[in-house]
Amino acid sequence: MTDAILLDLDGTLIDSTYYHAVAWQRALASEGFEVPMWRCHRAIGLGGDKVVEHLVDAKAEDEHGDALRAAWKVLYEQLVSYVKPLPGAADFVRAARERGFEVALATSGEQEFTDIALEMLGIEDELAAVVSTADVEASKPAPDLVEEALKRVSPDRAVMVGDTTWDIAAAKKAGIGCIGVRTGGFGDDDLQDEGALAIVDDPRDLESLLLDGGDEYFSAVS
């Protein structure tokens, strides 16, 4: 039997959530849209194709979406050097592989920044698949990223790990459960209300939860 662990990236394996929020707030302000930081924060985890409409409206997306994404990219590039791996993230991935789990990445991030993060973590050779927005039609909370990762790995059972309600929603739509980590800044109530199977502080807690007898968290993959 093959078990797979699907991982989000931003806010789950790397401490990038708030840098993304800052970049989005500044990008929006450059086009005259003043959005409070807390709202920008809670949009992180959505694909870039969904952020503008979510934070402003459909008209802003139609008229300014491409310009805002371009501005966000430039602004995040200025901050990415400050991003660091979250405690225990790379160690958990390596431990999971050593114990025979298939590990895959399902991230709403851009491929360029996904590559930077993977190099930072040093886990490229440990991953059975890496799926980003470039590989699917719709980003989270749509299930496409999770479904594509499952398709590439073809496990018997799987579980997702993510830091946002968007991760949990995408996993549920794909037919599997999701463990929540607090490292993205979402509150326990938010994660629980969306349906998190369990909530942990950071990746260091995942080994004991999932690798040491965590069968109840894995769902059969049809």
Side-chain angles (χ1 to χ4, degrees), residues 9-10 14 20 24 46-51 65 69-70 72-74 76-77 80 105-118 130-135 139 145:
L9 180 60
D10 290 292
I14 60 171
H20 280 298
W24 270 114
L46 289 171
D49 59 318
K50 292 183 169 72
V51 170
R69 279 182 285 277
W72 160 79
K73 182 177 180 181
V74 170
Y76 184 69
E77 284 173 342
V80 73
L105 203 67
T107 172
S108 290
E110 297 289 330
Q111 187 63 52
E112 174 187 346
F113 298 126
T114 298
D115 291 342
I116 291 171
L118 290 177
V130 176
V131 182
S132 67
T133 51
D135 301 307
S139 58
L145 286 161

PDB file of all heavy atoms in Angstrom, residues 9-10 14 20 24 46-51 65 69-70 72-74 76-77 80 105-118 130-135 139 145:
ATOM      1  N   LEU A   9       3.126  24.821   0.263  1.00  0.00           N
ATOM      2  CA  LEU A   9       4.484  25.380   0.379  1.00  0.00           C
ATOM      3  C   LEU A   9       4.516  26.653   1.222  1.00  0.00           C
ATOM      4  O   LEU A   9       5.052  26.655   2.331  1.00  0.00           O
ATOM      5  CB  LEU A   9       5.045  25.661  -1.017  1.00  0.00           C
ATOM      6  CG  LEU A   9       6.449  26.255  -1.090  1.00  0.00           C
ATOM      7  CD1 LEU A   9       7.476  25.330  -0.439  1.00  0.00           C
ATOM      8  CD2 LEU A   9       6.821  26.541  -2.538  1.00  0.00           C
ATOM      9  N   ASP A  10       3.932  27.738   0.718  1.00  0.00           N
ATOM     10  CA  ASP A  10       3.993  29.022   1.423  1.00  0.00           C
ATOM     11  C   ASP A  10       3.200  28.961   2.726  1.00  0.00           C
ATOM     12  O   ASP A  10       2.009  28.645   2.734  1.00  0.00           O
ATOM     13  CB  ASP A  10       3.434  30.142   0.537  1.00  0.00           C
ATOM     14  CG  ASP A  10       4.349  30.461  -0.624  1.00  0.00           C
ATOM     15  OD1 ASP A  10       5.449  30.981  -0.373  1.00  0.00           O
ATOM     16  OD2 ASP A  10       3.980  30.181  -1.779  1.00  0.00           O
ATOM     17  N   ILE A  14       7.726  27.030   4.179  1.00  0.00           N
ATOM     18  CA  ILE A  14       8.567  28.229   4.257  1.00  0.00           C
ATOM     19  C   ILE A  14       7.777  29.375   4.874  1.00  0.00           C
ATOM     20  O   ILE A  14       6.562  29.461   4.713  1.00  0.00           O
ATOM     21  CB  ILE A  14       9.135  28.642   2.878  1.00  0.00           C
ATOM     22  CG1 ILE A  14       7.995  28.945   1.892  1.00  0.00           C
ATOM     23  CG2 ILE A  14      10.068  27.571   2.337  1.00  0.00           C
ATOM     24  CD1 ILE A  14       8.474  29.570   0.588  1.00  0.00           C
ATOM     25  N   HIS A  20       4.352  37.782   1.340  1.00  0.00           N
ATOM     26  CA  HIS A  20       3.384  37.825   0.249  1.00  0.00           C
ATOM     27  C   HIS A  20       2.306  38.867   0.526  1.00  0.00           C
ATOM     28  O   HIS A  20       1.886  39.607  -0.370  1.00  0.00           O
ATOM     29  CB  HIS A  20       2.733  36.454   0.060  1.00  0.00           C
ATOM     30  CG  HIS A  20       3.550  35.481  -0.712  1.00  0.00           C
ATOM     31  ND1 HIS A  20       3.923  35.690  -2.021  1.00  0.00           N
ATOM     32  CD2 HIS A  20       4.072  34.268  -0.366  1.00  0.00           C
ATOM     33  CE1 HIS A  20       4.629  34.668  -2.454  1.00  0.00           C
ATOM     34  NE2 HIS A  20       4.739  33.785  -1.466  1.00  0.00           N
ATOM     35  N   TRP A  24       1.460  42.091  -1.801  1.00  0.00           N
ATOM     36  CA  TRP A  24       0.141  42.317  -2.380  1.00  0.00           C
ATOM     37  C   TRP A  24      -0.438  43.662  -1.944  1.00  0.00           C
ATOM     38  O   TRP A  24      -1.024  44.388  -2.750  1.00  0.00           O
ATOM     39  CB  TRP A  24      -0.823  41.189  -2.017  1.00  0.00           C
ATOM     40  CG  TRP A  24      -0.804  40.067  -3.007  1.00  0.00           C
ATOM     41  CD1 TRP A  24      -0.388  38.776  -2.805  1.00  0.00           C
ATOM     42  CD2 TRP A  24      -1.211  40.139  -4.374  1.00  0.00           C
ATOM     43  NE1 TRP A  24      -0.504  38.051  -3.949  1.00  0.00           N
ATOM     44  CE2 TRP A  24      -1.007  38.852  -4.938  1.00  0.00           C
ATOM     45  CE3 TRP A  24      -1.720  41.154  -5.174  1.00  0.00           C
ATOM     46  CZ2 TRP A  24      -1.308  38.574  -6.278  1.00  0.00           C
ATOM     47  CZ3 TRP A  24      -2.010  40.874  -6.509  1.00  0.00           C
ATOM     48  CH2 TRP A  24      -1.807  39.603  -7.038  1.00  0.00           C
ATOM     49  N   LEU A  46      -4.599  31.607  -1.901  1.00  0.00           N
ATOM     50  CA  LEU A  46      -5.290  31.652  -3.177  1.00  0.00           C
ATOM     51  C   LEU A  46      -4.257  31.793  -4.292  1.00  0.00           C
ATOM     52  O   LEU A  46      -3.174  32.338  -4.084  1.00  0.00           O
ATOM     53  CB  LEU A  46      -6.226  32.865  -3.242  1.00  0.00           C
ATOM     54  CG  LEU A  46      -7.489  32.845  -2.391  1.00  0.00           C
ATOM     55  CD1 LEU A  46      -8.148  34.218  -2.436  1.00  0.00           C
ATOM     56  CD2 LEU A  46      -8.456  31.779  -2.881  1.00  0.00           C
ATOM     57  N   GLY A  47      -4.601  31.330  -5.466  1.00  0.00           N
ATOM     58  CA  GLY A  47      -3.734  31.587  -6.599  1.00  0.00           C
ATOM     59  C   GLY A  47      -3.762  33.057  -6.967  1.00  0.00           C
ATOM     60  O   GLY A  47      -4.737  33.762  -6.692  1.00  0.00           O
ATOM     61  N   GLY A  48      -2.693  33.533  -7.583  1.00  0.00           N
ATOM     62  CA  GLY A  48      -2.623  34.933  -7.972  1.00  0.00           C
ATOM     63  C   GLY A  48      -3.749  35.348  -8.899  1.00  0.00           C
ATOM     64  O   GLY A  48      -4.133  36.524  -8.941  1.00  0.00           O
ATOM     65  N   ASP A  49      -4.318  34.387  -9.628  1.00  0.00           N
ATOM     66  CA  ASP A  49      -5.421  34.686 -10.529  1.00  0.00           C
ATOM     67  C   ASP A  49      -6.712  35.019  -9.789  1.00  0.00           C
ATOM     68  O   ASP A  49      -7.637  35.572 -10.367  1.00  0.00           O
ATOM     69  CB  ASP A  49      -5.662  33.502 -11.467  1.00  0.00           C
ATOM     70  CG  ASP A  49      -5.980  32.208 -10.707  1.00  0.00           C
ATOM     71  OD1 ASP A  49      -5.323  31.939  -9.685  1.00  0.00           O
ATOM     72  OD2 ASP A  49      -6.880  31.472 -11.144  1.00  0.00           O
ATOM     73  N   LYS A  50      -6.770  34.688  -8.495  1.00  0.00           N
ATOM     74  CA  LYS A  50      -7.977  34.908  -7.715  1.00  0.00           C
ATOM     75  C   LYS A  50      -7.855  36.054  -6.702  1.00  0.00           C
ATOM     76  O   LYS A  50      -8.855  36.525  -6.173  1.00  0.00           O
ATOM     77  CB  LYS A  50      -8.364  33.638  -6.965  1.00  0.00           C
ATOM     78  CG  LYS A  50      -8.831  32.490  -7.851  1.00  0.00           C
ATOM     79  CD  LYS A  50      -9.264  31.312  -6.996  1.00  0.00           C
ATOM     80  CE  LYS A  50      -9.989  30.255  -7.819  1.00  0.00           C
ATOM     81  NZ  LYS A  50      -9.091  29.520  -8.694  1.00  0.00           N
ATOM     82  N   VAL A  51      -6.638  36.492  -6.403  1.00  0.00           N
ATOM     83  CA  VAL A  51      -6.420  37.426  -5.303  1.00  0.00           C
ATOM     84  C   VAL A  51      -7.092  38.779  -5.542  1.00  0.00           C
ATOM     85  O   VAL A  51      -7.749  39.322  -4.648  1.00  0.00           O
ATOM     86  CB  VAL A  51      -4.912  37.618  -5.040  1.00  0.00           C
ATOM     87  CG1 VAL A  51      -4.672  38.765  -4.060  1.00  0.00           C
ATOM     88  CG2 VAL A  51      -4.301  36.333  -4.497  1.00  0.00           C
ATOM     89  N   GLY A  65      -5.854  43.472 -13.246  1.00  0.00           N
ATOM     90  CA  GLY A  65      -5.329  42.211 -12.738  1.00  0.00           C
ATOM     91  C   GLY A  65      -3.902  41.903 -13.170  1.00  0.00           C
ATOM     92  O   GLY A  65      -3.034  41.605 -12.345  1.00  0.00           O
ATOM     93  N   ARG A  69      -0.580  41.794 -10.716  1.00  0.00           N
ATOM     94  CA  ARG A  69       0.250  40.594 -10.541  1.00  0.00           C
ATOM     95  C   ARG A  69       1.700  40.871 -10.895  1.00  0.00           C
ATOM     96  O   ARG A  69       2.617  40.376 -10.234  1.00  0.00           O
ATOM     97  CB  ARG A  69      -0.323  39.445 -11.376  1.00  0.00           C
ATOM     98  CG  ARG A  69      -1.499  38.750 -10.688  1.00  0.00           C
ATOM     99  CD  ARG A  69      -2.026  37.593 -11.507  1.00  0.00           C
ATOM    100  NE  ARG A  69      -2.796  38.047 -12.657  1.00  0.00           N
ATOM    101  CZ  ARG A  69      -4.074  38.396 -12.591  1.00  0.00           C
ATOM    102  NH1 ARG A  69      -4.730  38.343 -11.447  1.00  0.00           N
ATOM    103  NH2 ARG A  69      -4.723  38.796 -13.683  1.00  0.00           N
ATOM    104  N   ALA A  70       1.919  41.670 -11.919  1.00  0.00           N
ATOM    105  CA  ALA A  70       3.288  42.038 -12.283  1.00  0.00           C
ATOM    106  C   ALA A  70       3.935  42.856 -11.171  1.00  0.00           C
ATOM    107  O   ALA A  70       5.119  42.645 -10.832  1.00  0.00           O
ATOM    108  CB  ALA A  70       3.296  42.817 -13.593  1.00  0.00           C
ATOM    109  N   TRP A  72       3.059  42.810  -7.943  1.00  0.00           N
ATOM    110  CA  TRP A  72       3.271  41.889  -6.818  1.00  0.00           C
ATOM    111  C   TRP A  72       4.559  41.092  -7.009  1.00  0.00           C
ATOM    112  O   TRP A  72       5.352  40.938  -6.061  1.00  0.00           O
ATOM    113  CB  TRP A  72       2.091  40.926  -6.680  1.00  0.00           C
ATOM    114  CG  TRP A  72       2.459  39.710  -5.888  1.00  0.00           C
ATOM    115  CD1 TRP A  72       2.552  39.596  -4.538  1.00  0.00           C
ATOM    116  CD2 TRP A  72       2.859  38.451  -6.423  1.00  0.00           C
ATOM    117  NE1 TRP A  72       2.982  38.337  -4.193  1.00  0.00           N
ATOM    118  CE2 TRP A  72       3.175  37.618  -5.335  1.00  0.00           C
ATOM    119  CE3 TRP A  72       2.974  37.949  -7.721  1.00  0.00           C
ATOM    120  CZ2 TRP A  72       3.597  36.295  -5.503  1.00  0.00           C
ATOM    121  CZ3 TRP A  72       3.397  36.640  -7.893  1.00  0.00           C
ATOM    122  CH2 TRP A  72       3.697  35.836  -6.799  1.00  0.00           C
ATOM    123  N   LYS A  73       4.790  40.604  -8.210  1.00  0.00           N
ATOM    124  CA  LYS A  73       5.979  39.790  -8.468  1.00  0.00           C
ATOM    125  C   LYS A  73       7.254  40.574  -8.193  1.00  0.00           C
ATOM    126  O   LYS A  73       8.171  40.076  -7.526  1.00  0.00           O
ATOM    127  CB  LYS A  73       5.963  39.283  -9.909  1.00  0.00           C
ATOM    128  CG  LYS A  73       7.144  38.376 -10.234  1.00  0.00           C
ATOM    129  CD  LYS A  73       7.035  37.841 -11.657  1.00  0.00           C
ATOM    130  CE  LYS A  73       8.219  36.936 -11.981  1.00  0.00           C
ATOM    131  NZ  LYS A  73       8.149  36.410 -13.366  1.00  0.00           N
ATOM    132  N   VAL A  74       7.316  41.794  -8.697  1.00  0.00           N
ATOM    133  CA  VAL A  74       8.500  42.637  -8.478  1.00  0.00           C
ATOM    134  C   VAL A  74       8.695  42.905  -6.986  1.00  0.00           C
ATOM    135  O   VAL A  74       9.812  42.812  -6.459  1.00  0.00           O
ATOM    136  CB  VAL A  74       8.370  43.962  -9.249  1.00  0.00           C
ATOM    137  CG1 VAL A  74       9.472  44.940  -8.835  1.00  0.00           C
ATOM    138  CG2 VAL A  74       8.415  43.706 -10.756  1.00  0.00           C
ATOM    139  N   TYR A  76       7.544  41.142  -4.392  1.00  0.00           N
ATOM    140  CA  TYR A  76       7.909  39.933  -3.640  1.00  0.00           C
ATOM    141  C   TYR A  76       9.362  39.543  -3.912  1.00  0.00           C
ATOM    142  O   TYR A  76      10.069  39.074  -3.006  1.00  0.00           O
ATOM    143  CB  TYR A  76       6.979  38.770  -3.986  1.00  0.00           C
ATOM    144  CG  TYR A  76       7.265  37.538  -3.154  1.00  0.00           C
ATOM    145  CD1 TYR A  76       6.990  37.518  -1.782  1.00  0.00           C
ATOM    146  CD2 TYR A  76       7.835  36.404  -3.722  1.00  0.00           C
ATOM    147  CE1 TYR A  76       7.277  36.411  -1.007  1.00  0.00           C
ATOM    148  CE2 TYR A  76       8.114  35.290  -2.959  1.00  0.00           C
ATOM    149  CZ  TYR A  76       7.826  35.298  -1.604  1.00  0.00           C
ATOM    150  OH  TYR A  76       8.123  34.198  -0.836  1.00  0.00           O
ATOM    151  N   GLU A  77       9.834  39.746  -5.135  1.00  0.00           N
ATOM    152  CA  GLU A  77      11.238  39.473  -5.454  1.00  0.00           C
ATOM    153  C   GLU A  77      12.178  40.282  -4.562  1.00  0.00           C
ATOM    154  O   GLU A  77      13.270  39.824  -4.206  1.00  0.00           O
ATOM    155  CB  GLU A  77      11.521  39.786  -6.924  1.00  0.00           C
ATOM    156  CG  GLU A  77      10.981  38.742  -7.879  1.00  0.00           C
ATOM    157  CD  GLU A  77      11.113  39.152  -9.337  1.00  0.00           C
ATOM    158  OE1 GLU A  77      11.307  40.368  -9.597  1.00  0.00           O
ATOM    159  OE2 GLU A  77      11.013  38.272 -10.205  1.00  0.00           O
ATOM    160  N   VAL A  80      12.023  38.273  -1.084  1.00  0.00           N
ATOM    161  CA  VAL A  80      12.186  36.824  -0.996  1.00  0.00           C
ATOM    162  C   VAL A  80      13.470  36.405  -0.288  1.00  0.00           C
ATOM    163  O   VAL A  80      13.545  35.315   0.291  1.00  0.00           O
ATOM    164  CB  VAL A  80      12.078  36.187  -2.403  1.00  0.00           C
ATOM    165  CG1 VAL A  80      13.322  36.483  -3.236  1.00  0.00           C
ATOM    166  CG2 VAL A  80      11.820  34.692  -2.290  1.00  0.00           C
ATOM    167  N   LEU A 105       4.309  18.062  -3.633  1.00  0.00           N
ATOM    168  CA  LEU A 105       4.003  19.463  -3.361  1.00  0.00           C
ATOM    169  C   LEU A 105       2.818  19.883  -4.212  1.00  0.00           C
ATOM    170  O   LEU A 105       2.757  19.584  -5.405  1.00  0.00           O
ATOM    171  CB  LEU A 105       5.223  20.320  -3.702  1.00  0.00           C
ATOM    172  CG  LEU A 105       5.362  21.686  -3.044  1.00  0.00           C
ATOM    173  CD1 LEU A 105       5.585  21.523  -1.554  1.00  0.00           C
ATOM    174  CD2 LEU A 105       6.520  22.448  -3.677  1.00  0.00           C
ATOM    175  N   ALA A 106       1.849  20.567  -3.593  1.00  0.00           N
ATOM    176  CA  ALA A 106       0.696  21.115  -4.316  1.00  0.00           C
ATOM    177  C   ALA A 106       0.538  22.561  -3.875  1.00  0.00           C
ATOM    178  O   ALA A 106      -0.052  22.846  -2.837  1.00  0.00           O
ATOM    179  CB  ALA A 106      -0.564  20.310  -4.012  1.00  0.00           C
ATOM    180  N   THR A 107       1.093  23.479  -4.650  1.00  0.00           N
ATOM    181  CA  THR A 107       1.181  24.875  -4.235  1.00  0.00           C
ATOM    182  C   THR A 107       0.535  25.819  -5.234  1.00  0.00           C
ATOM    183  O   THR A 107       0.636  25.623  -6.446  1.00  0.00           O
ATOM    184  CB  THR A 107       2.653  25.285  -4.045  1.00  0.00           C
ATOM    185  OG1 THR A 107       2.728  26.699  -3.812  1.00  0.00           O
ATOM    186  CG2 THR A 107       3.510  24.955  -5.259  1.00  0.00           C
ATOM    187  N   SER A 108      -0.124  26.857  -4.715  1.00  0.00           N
ATOM    188  CA  SER A 108      -0.696  27.898  -5.561  1.00  0.00           C
ATOM    189  C   SER A 108       0.356  28.912  -6.006  1.00  0.00           C
ATOM    190  O   SER A 108       0.030  29.882  -6.693  1.00  0.00           O
ATOM    191  CB  SER A 108      -1.821  28.637  -4.818  1.00  0.00           C
ATOM    192  OG  SER A 108      -2.943  27.813  -4.644  1.00  0.00           O
ATOM    193  N   GLY A 109       1.595  28.712  -5.605  1.00  0.00           N
ATOM    194  CA  GLY A 109       2.652  29.664  -5.916  1.00  0.00           C
ATOM    195  C   GLY A 109       3.094  29.626  -7.367  1.00  0.00           C
ATOM    196  O   GLY A 109       2.849  28.668  -8.099  1.00  0.00           O
ATOM    197  N   GLU A 110       3.769  30.683  -7.773  1.00  0.00           N
ATOM    198  CA  GLU A 110       4.358  30.760  -9.103  1.00  0.00           C
ATOM    199  C   GLU A 110       5.558  29.824  -9.181  1.00  0.00           C
ATOM    200  O   GLU A 110       6.281  29.623  -8.206  1.00  0.00           O
ATOM    201  CB  GLU A 110       4.802  32.196  -9.406  1.00  0.00           C
ATOM    202  CG  GLU A 110       3.665  33.213  -9.432  1.00  0.00           C
ATOM    203  CD  GLU A 110       2.784  33.046 -10.645  1.00  0.00           C
ATOM    204  OE1 GLU A 110       3.287  32.600 -11.691  1.00  0.00           O
ATOM    205  OE2 GLU A 110       1.584  33.354 -10.542  1.00  0.00           O
ATOM    206  N   GLN A 111       5.799  29.261 -10.380  1.00  0.00           N
ATOM    207  CA  GLN A 111       6.873  28.293 -10.543  1.00  0.00           C
ATOM    208  C   GLN A 111       8.231  28.873 -10.157  1.00  0.00           C
ATOM    209  O   GLN A 111       9.055  28.202  -9.520  1.00  0.00           O
ATOM    210  CB  GLN A 111       6.919  27.790 -11.990  1.00  0.00           C
ATOM    211  CG  GLN A 111       7.894  26.649 -12.211  1.00  0.00           C
ATOM    212  CD  GLN A 111       7.533  25.415 -11.419  1.00  0.00           C
ATOM    213  OE1 GLN A 111       6.398  24.936 -11.489  1.00  0.00           O
ATOM    214  NE2 GLN A 111       8.479  24.884 -10.652  1.00  0.00           N
ATOM    215  N   GLU A 112       8.474  30.125 -10.521  1.00  0.00           N
ATOM    216  CA  GLU A 112       9.762  30.763 -10.200  1.00  0.00           C
ATOM    217  C   GLU A 112      10.030  30.759  -8.700  1.00  0.00           C
ATOM    218  O   GLU A 112      11.127  30.415  -8.246  1.00  0.00           O
ATOM    219  CB  GLU A 112       9.763  32.202 -10.722  1.00  0.00           C
ATOM    220  CG  GLU A 112      10.984  33.010 -10.312  1.00  0.00           C
ATOM    221  CD  GLU A 112      10.881  34.476 -10.701  1.00  0.00           C
ATOM    222  OE1 GLU A 112      10.002  34.824 -11.517  1.00  0.00           O
ATOM    223  OE2 GLU A 112      11.680  35.270 -10.179  1.00  0.00           O
ATOM    224  N   PHE A 113       9.030  31.111  -7.921  1.00  0.00           N
ATOM    225  CA  PHE A 113       9.216  31.183  -6.473  1.00  0.00           C
ATOM    226  C   PHE A 113       9.170  29.798  -5.835  1.00  0.00           C
ATOM    227  O   PHE A 113       9.797  29.565  -4.798  1.00  0.00           O
ATOM    228  CB  PHE A 113       8.175  32.111  -5.859  1.00  0.00           C
ATOM    229  CG  PHE A 113       8.289  33.527  -6.352  1.00  0.00           C
ATOM    230  CD1 PHE A 113       7.193  34.186  -6.896  1.00  0.00           C
ATOM    231  CD2 PHE A 113       9.505  34.194  -6.312  1.00  0.00           C
ATOM    232  CE1 PHE A 113       7.302  35.480  -7.370  1.00  0.00           C
ATOM    233  CE2 PHE A 113       9.629  35.493  -6.784  1.00  0.00           C
ATOM    234  CZ  PHE A 113       8.532  36.138  -7.312  1.00  0.00           C
ATOM    235  N   THR A 114       8.464  28.877  -6.466  1.00  0.00           N
ATOM    236  CA  THR A 114       8.497  27.486  -6.005  1.00  0.00           C
ATOM    237  C   THR A 114       9.904  26.925  -6.141  1.00  0.00           C
ATOM    238  O   THR A 114      10.416  26.268  -5.233  1.00  0.00           O
ATOM    239  CB  THR A 114       7.500  26.633  -6.808  1.00  0.00           C
ATOM    240  OG1 THR A 114       6.179  27.126  -6.581  1.00  0.00           O
ATOM    241  CG2 THR A 114       7.565  25.172  -6.391  1.00  0.00           C
ATOM    242  N   ASP A 115      10.551  27.205  -7.259  1.00  0.00           N
ATOM    243  CA  ASP A 115      11.919  26.723  -7.480  1.00  0.00           C
ATOM    244  C   ASP A 115      12.880  27.306  -6.445  1.00  0.00           C
ATOM    245  O   ASP A 115      13.756  26.599  -5.929  1.00  0.00           O
ATOM    246  CB  ASP A 115      12.388  27.099  -8.888  1.00  0.00           C
ATOM    247  CG  ASP A 115      11.649  26.328  -9.979  1.00  0.00           C
ATOM    248  OD1 ASP A 115      11.037  25.284  -9.666  1.00  0.00           O
ATOM    249  OD2 ASP A 115      11.677  26.789 -11.141  1.00  0.00           O
ATOM    250  N   ILE A 116      12.727  28.588  -6.144  1.00  0.00           N
ATOM    251  CA  ILE A 116      13.577  29.217  -5.132  1.00  0.00           C
ATOM    252  C   ILE A 116      13.376  28.548  -3.777  1.00  0.00           C
ATOM    253  O   ILE A 116      14.339  28.255  -3.055  1.00  0.00           O
ATOM    254  CB  ILE A 116      13.272  30.727  -5.039  1.00  0.00           C
ATOM    255  CG1 ILE A 116      13.732  31.446  -6.311  1.00  0.00           C
ATOM    256  CG2 ILE A 116      13.944  31.350  -3.809  1.00  0.00           C
ATOM    257  CD1 ILE A 116      13.281  32.888  -6.391  1.00  0.00           C
ATOM    258  N   ALA A 117      12.131  28.285  -3.426  1.00  0.00           N
ATOM    259  CA  ALA A 117      11.828  27.665  -2.138  1.00  0.00           C
ATOM    260  C   ALA A 117      12.390  26.257  -2.048  1.00  0.00           C
ATOM    261  O   ALA A 117      12.937  25.854  -1.013  1.00  0.00           O
ATOM    262  CB  ALA A 117      10.319  27.657  -1.912  1.00  0.00           C
ATOM    263  N   LEU A 118      12.274  25.493  -3.125  1.00  0.00           N
ATOM    264  CA  LEU A 118      12.776  24.119  -3.106  1.00  0.00           C
ATOM    265  C   LEU A 118      14.294  24.090  -2.963  1.00  0.00           C
ATOM    266  O   LEU A 118      14.850  23.239  -2.265  1.00  0.00           O
ATOM    267  CB  LEU A 118      12.344  23.385  -4.368  1.00  0.00           C
ATOM    268  CG  LEU A 118      10.851  23.066  -4.458  1.00  0.00           C
ATOM    269  CD1 LEU A 118      10.525  22.409  -5.797  1.00  0.00           C
ATOM    270  CD2 LEU A 118      10.432  22.159  -3.319  1.00  0.00           C
ATOM    271  N   VAL A 130       5.914  17.752  -8.027  1.00  0.00           N
ATOM    272  CA  VAL A 130       5.778  19.160  -7.675  1.00  0.00           C
ATOM    273  C   VAL A 130       4.740  19.760  -8.616  1.00  0.00           C
ATOM    274  O   VAL A 130       4.944  19.806  -9.828  1.00  0.00           O
ATOM    275  CB  VAL A 130       7.117  19.924  -7.813  1.00  0.00           C
ATOM    276  CG1 VAL A 130       6.901  21.405  -7.520  1.00  0.00           C
ATOM    277  CG2 VAL A 130       8.169  19.343  -6.883  1.00  0.00           C
ATOM    278  N   VAL A 131       3.622  20.187  -8.046  1.00  0.00           N
ATOM    279  CA  VAL A 131       2.535  20.745  -8.849  1.00  0.00           C
ATOM    280  C   VAL A 131       2.310  22.187  -8.414  1.00  0.00           C
ATOM    281  O   VAL A 131       2.084  22.471  -7.231  1.00  0.00           O
ATOM    282  CB  VAL A 131       1.232  19.938  -8.673  1.00  0.00           C
ATOM    283  CG1 VAL A 131       0.128  20.520  -9.553  1.00  0.00           C
ATOM    284  CG2 VAL A 131       1.471  18.474  -9.009  1.00  0.00           C
ATOM    285  N   SER A 132       2.365  23.106  -9.373  1.00  0.00           N
ATOM    286  CA  SER A 132       2.120  24.521  -9.097  1.00  0.00           C
ATOM    287  C   SER A 132       1.044  25.031 -10.050  1.00  0.00           C
ATOM    288  O   SER A 132       0.510  24.275 -10.867  1.00  0.00           O
ATOM    289  CB  SER A 132       3.406  25.335  -9.250  1.00  0.00           C
ATOM    290  OG  SER A 132       3.821  25.362 -10.606  1.00  0.00           O
ATOM    291  N   THR A 133       0.728  26.306  -9.955  1.00  0.00           N
ATOM    292  CA  THR A 133      -0.361  26.869 -10.759  1.00  0.00           C
ATOM    293  C   THR A 133      -0.116  26.728 -12.258  1.00  0.00           C
ATOM    294  O   THR A 133      -1.071  26.715 -13.032  1.00  0.00           O
ATOM    295  CB  THR A 133      -0.572  28.351 -10.427  1.00  0.00           C
ATOM    296  OG1 THR A 133       0.681  29.042 -10.493  1.00  0.00           O
ATOM    297  CG2 THR A 133      -1.152  28.511  -9.036  1.00  0.00           C
ATOM    298  N   ALA A 134       1.134  26.612 -12.672  1.00  0.00           N
ATOM    299  CA  ALA A 134       1.435  26.461 -14.090  1.00  0.00           C
ATOM    300  C   ALA A 134       0.938  25.130 -14.648  1.00  0.00           C
ATOM    301  O   ALA A 134       0.804  24.975 -15.862  1.00  0.00           O
ATOM    302  CB  ALA A 134       2.939  26.589 -14.318  1.00  0.00           C
ATOM    303  N   ASP A 135       0.641  24.190 -13.757  1.00  0.00           N
ATOM    304  CA  ASP A 135       0.282  22.836 -14.187  1.00  0.00           C
ATOM    305  C   ASP A 135      -1.214  22.572 -14.234  1.00  0.00           C
ATOM    306  O   ASP A 135      -1.637  21.494 -14.671  1.00  0.00           O
ATOM    307  CB  ASP A 135       0.913  21.810 -13.234  1.00  0.00           C
ATOM    308  CG  ASP A 135       2.421  21.925 -13.176  1.00  0.00           C
ATOM    309  OD1 ASP A 135       3.049  21.890 -14.255  1.00  0.00           O
ATOM    310  OD2 ASP A 135       2.964  22.061 -12.072  1.00  0.00           O
ATOM    311  N   SER A 139      -6.565  27.384  -9.493  1.00  0.00           N
ATOM    312  CA  SER A 139      -5.791  27.303  -8.255  1.00  0.00           C
ATOM    313  C   SER A 139      -6.721  27.104  -7.061  1.00  0.00           C
ATOM    314  O   SER A 139      -7.943  27.082  -7.198  1.00  0.00           O
ATOM    315  CB  SER A 139      -4.951  28.571  -8.081  1.00  0.00           C
ATOM    316  OG  SER A 139      -5.787  29.723  -8.078  1.00  0.00           O
ATOM    317  N   LEU A 145      -5.096  21.419  -8.087  1.00  0.00           N
ATOM    318  CA  LEU A 145      -3.709  21.174  -7.665  1.00  0.00           C
ATOM    319  C   LEU A 145      -3.584  19.858  -6.906  1.00  0.00           C
ATOM    320  O   LEU A 145      -2.660  19.067  -7.150  1.00  0.00           O
ATOM    321  CB  LEU A 145      -3.214  22.327  -6.785  1.00  0.00           C
ATOM    322  CG  LEU A 145      -2.885  23.630  -7.492  1.00  0.00           C
ATOM    323  CD1 LEU A 145      -2.857  24.786  -6.491  1.00  0.00           C
ATOM    324  CD2 LEU A 145      -1.540  23.528  -8.200  1.00  0.00           C
TER     325      LEU A 145
END
